[in-house]
């Protein structure tokens, strides 16, 4: 899997900082580290990855990541 880092990625839920891995063969994306920019700066939101209540937010973030990682492999 190919590692990726986005220091500032705009999504429908706000600005995030994300690190993870992307499989260019099947398009699978794994997020390893996640932070969300709020009024006080970057907030660690790695707990979103493990809690079902944040499933929609993770889906929105992955939807924003997909075109960015696809363009890296072009």
């Amino acid at each position: 899997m190919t590692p990726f880092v986005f220091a500032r990625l705009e999504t429908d839920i706000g600005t995030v900082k994300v690190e993870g891995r992307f499989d260019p063969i099947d398009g699978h994306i794994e997020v390893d580290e996640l932070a969300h920019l709020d009024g006080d700066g970057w907030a660690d939101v790695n707990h979103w990855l493990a809690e079902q209540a944040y499933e929609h937010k993770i889906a929105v973030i992955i939807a924003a990541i997909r075109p960015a990682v696809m363009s890296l492999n072009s």
Side-chain angles (χ1 to χ4, degrees), residues 51-72:
E51 296 180 28
Q52 190 173 7
Y54 297 101
E55 195 172 84
H56 174 72
K57 288 185 178 192
I58 297 303
V60 168
I61 292 167
I62 288 177
I65 292 170
R66 189 166 307 285
V69 294
M70 294 300 265
S71 68
L72 292 175

Side-chain angles (χ1 to χ4, degrees), residues 3-46:
F4 64 84
V5 176
F6 294 106
R8 191 177 188 95
L9 181 68
E10 297 298 326
T11 72
D12 289 345
I13 61 160
T15 305
V16 295
K17 185 183 332 182
V18 62
E19 292 181 31
R21 291 166 283 143
F22 169 69
D23 186 339
I25 295 170
D26 65 7
H28 181 73
I29 295 171
E30 288 186 26
V31 175
D32 298 323
E33 297 289 328
L34 185 61
H36 185 260
L37 185 61
D38 61 21
D40 296 324
W42 291 106
D44 180 344
V45 291
N46 282 316

